[in-house]
Amino acid sequence: MKIGIIKPDYKINGGFEVVINHIKEELERIGHQVDIVYVDATERSTNNIPFPVSNDEYEQNVEFFNYINYFWKYMKMDLSLYDTVISTQPPSFAIQHPKHIALFYHHSKVHYDLSELIQEVGLNKPFHLKAQEVIREIDSISLSKVSTILAGSKTIKQRIAKYNNLSTNVDLFYAGIDNDIYNYNGPVSYQSPIVVGRHEFPKRPELFVKAMKKVPGVQGRIIGEGGRTDDLRKIDQLLTYAAKQEMEISDEVVWKRMSNGSFTNEHLDILHKSQKTHLKSNVIFTGRVSKEELFKEYANALCVVCPAYEEDYGLTAIEAMSFKKPVIACTDGGGYAELIKDGVNGFLVEPNSTALAEAIYKLASNPDLAKQMGVNAYETSRLYSWKNAMRTISETIIK
């Protein structure tokens, strides 16, 4: 069978790209001919929109018009040479084909599950609600024509039902993890709590930083970087000083305001004082690490903290569990939350720094508990193999 995987190309190589490449390799291994059809997703234009858009209109809501432009581009693609097509990130599911499988991990999030949050923190663009209405309508029409939607988690399946009123053509697909991680058999120790991932809103590494100030005798590690790394470092400096002075800054301010570069004059004054005092933080920033270094971070972690808001899947948590590490996630963590059995393979806590700190302290003060929960976490991770994942893909293709 000839299969086309339609992939927006964002010029990055992240977790989703790893998943797509693995699916291609596995499908080829069992005899299919597979092409990844890349579409440049970095182009900024309105060339594919079949009605005029002025420069002024475009500049007022660039993200919306780029989405509409790509929507039309995908809808007009000729994919007739393929027996089956698999769409990936939005809005690639706008493609037209009689045998269309949508590998679905998220909507245009700012117009769906993050909409209220971005309005609250002031990140919304002009005419946000109208743009949201249009995108939800055209998405629902396109997704209703898809043969099978493979939702990447129960969280995503619930979102599709909630926002697009679709359930009959929606199944679950849990991606496997890197086989090198899955088969790791090196040494494991229980040292520092860590956070792994990109520093973007609303991943909430800021909550981890604030939690660490409540367990001053423990050193935490932040693995990775992103667009908010500079602000995250400032937040760490500021909170280190604030903790020393017994000053309280609310969680809401830290992760909803400071994380997006919004520091009041009062907070900037505290930051300036903190920079003068050179207080040592109990949080280490590693920056970007290699695959081998990441394995070492996982292997030496006390636990892995996943504080993100409404995550789509939770691959980091499964990776952590495969290293026999308990995972701490928040009750509003989306895909992370559905992986945690509270008190068994990790802790599921309220989304605040105090609750995170309490969970971290429980494990730091009781290494045997961390090890036992790590064993349970390892058993959970065994469910998420590529063998199981590809069984779902293969069964869907031959339907």
Side-chain angles (χ1 to χ4, degrees):
M1 184 178 292
K2 191 166 186 178
I3 300 170
I5 300 177
I6 317 306
K7 175 72 175 69
D9 183 8
Y10 291 98
K11 312 301 181 184
I12 60 174
N13 189 25
F16 194 83
E17 285 68 32
V18 171
V19 168
I20 295 301
N21 289 333
H22 201 101
I23 289 174
K24 179 180 186 292
E25 291 171 5
E26 290 295 319
L27 288 174
E28 288 175 335
R29 187 180 61 79
I30 59 178
H32 297 294
Q33 181 182 343
V34 184
D35 295 331
I36 300 181
V37 182
Y38 289 104
V39 177
D40 186 355
T42 63
E43 179 188 4
R44 296 293 177 256
S45 78
T46 59
N47 294 339
N48 296 290
I49 301 176
F51 52 82
V53 178
S54 70
N55 286 336
D56 184 56
E57 289 173 322
Y58 178 78
E59 292 299 331
Q60 287 189 72
N61 203 325
V62 173
E63 190 171 276
F64 168 72
F65 284 111
N66 285 335
Y67 191 89
I68 299 301
N69 184 61
Y70 279 104
F71 185 91
W72 280 98
K73 186 169 187 172
Y74 286 114
M75 193 162 64
K76 292 186 290 186
M77 288 180 72
D78 181 4
L79 299 167
S80 57
L81 72 156
Y82 296 108
D83 302 305
T84 297
V85 293
I86 301 174
S87 62
T88 55
Q89 290 128 307
S92 65
F93 49 72
I95 59 176
Q96 306 292 300
H97 195 280
K99 187 64 182 296
H100 175 186
I101 299 166
L103 188 62
F104 198 96
Y105 276 84
H106 60 81
H107 300 81
S108 171
K109 292 173 74 71
V110 297
H111 297 107
Y112 284 90
D113 48 301
L114 298 187
S115 178
E116 291 183 5
L117 178 60
I118 68 151
Q119 290 177 76
E120 178 186 346
V121 301
L123 295 178
N124 54 304
K125 305 296 183 188
F127 313 112
H128 172 79
L129 292 179
K130 185 61 181 178
Q132 174 177 294
E133 178 186 339
V134 171
I135 286 176
R136 290 185 182 187
E137 181 175 355
I138 62 176
D139 283 358
S140 294
I141 292 170
S142 292
L143 289 168
S144 68
K145 297 177 182 179
V146 175
S147 305
T148 303
I149 301 171
L150 293 179
S153 67
K154 292 178 183 177
T155 295
I156 296 166
K157 186 174 182 178
Q158 289 165 358
R159 286 186 201 149
I160 295 170
K162 176 181 178 180
Y163 294 116
N164 305 112
N165 197 31
L166 295 171
S167 58
T168 57
N169 65 334
V170 184
D171 293 329
L172 282 172
F173 168 76
Y174 291 106
I177 60 174
D178 186 327
N179 284 331
D180 290 340
I181 295 177
Y182 196 76
N183 296 316
Y184 178 83
N185 60 1
V188 173
S189 62
Y190 294 81
Q191 299 175 23
S192 298
I194 68 172
V195 163
V196 177
R198 298 189 316 278
H199 304 163
E200 306 291 351
F201 184 78
K203 298 290 187 180
R204 295 194 301 205
E206 305 82 18
L207 279 185
F208 173 74
V209 169
K210 191 161 187 287
M212 292 309 303
K213 307 312 169 189
K214 299 175 186 290
V215 281
V218 179
Q219 183 185 85
R221 296 173 66 82
I222 295 180
I223 319 301
E225 57 186 28
R228 309 313 313 175
T229 299
D230 287 345
D231 287 327
L232 187 59
R233 287 180 178 273
K234 290 176 183 177
I235 290 167
D236 179 52
Q237 278 189 310
L238 192 155
L239 292 178
T240 298
Y241 181 85
K244 191 74 172 177
Q245 302 298 317
E246 297 185 351
M247 301 167 58
E248 180 59 30
I249 301 173
S250 76
D251 290 345
E252 296 280 297
V253 168
V254 169
W255 81 266
K256 291 184 179 179
R257 304 296 173 184
M258 292 182 183
S259 69
N260 289 302
S262 180
F263 294 83
T264 66
N265 288 334
E266 179 186 0
H267 295 145
L268 289 173
D269 182 57
I270 297 171
L271 179 61
H272 182 65
K273 290 177 180 177
S274 71
Q275 291 168 338
K276 281 186 171 182
T277 57
H278 302 291
L279 291 172
K280 187 175 181 180
S281 171
N282 66 335
V283 174
I284 302 296
F285 289 79
T286 69
R288 193 185 302 274
V289 298
S290 68
K291 183 176 177 178
E292 292 74 20
E293 290 169 331
L294 177 61
F295 285 9
K296 289 180 181 178
E297 294 290 350
Y298 275 132
N300 293 326
L302 169 71
C303 60
V304 177
V305 182
C306 299
Y309 173 78
E310 280 295 324
E311 191 70 9
D312 302 312
Y313 177 28
L315 189 60
T316 298
I318 299 169
E319 289 178 349
M321 290 178 178
S322 74
F323 283 87
K324 300 181 179 177
K325 304 300 175 174
V327 173
I328 302 172
C330 298
T331 52
D332 61 356
Y336 282 139
E338 65 185 74
L339 297 170
I340 308 300
K341 294 181 180 178
D342 186 43
V344 178
N345 59 3
F347 292 113
L348 194 58
V349 304
E350 291 301 310
N352 61 68
S353 60
T354 299
L356 288 171
E358 289 173 351
I360 291 168
Y361 181 75
K362 283 180 184 177
L363 297 172
S365 60
N366 190 343
D368 289 339
L369 175 63
K371 291 176 183 178
Q372 182 54 56
M373 293 179 79
V375 171
N376 297 336
Y378 178 82
E379 293 304 317
T380 301
S381 75
R382 299 299 91 178
L383 302 174
Y384 299 92
S385 68
W386 270 110
K387 180 179 179 181
N388 290 340
M390 290 311 302
R391 184 183 301 118
T392 301
I393 291 278
S394 298
E395 290 173 353
T396 303
I397 287 173
I398 64 175
K399 276 185 180 178

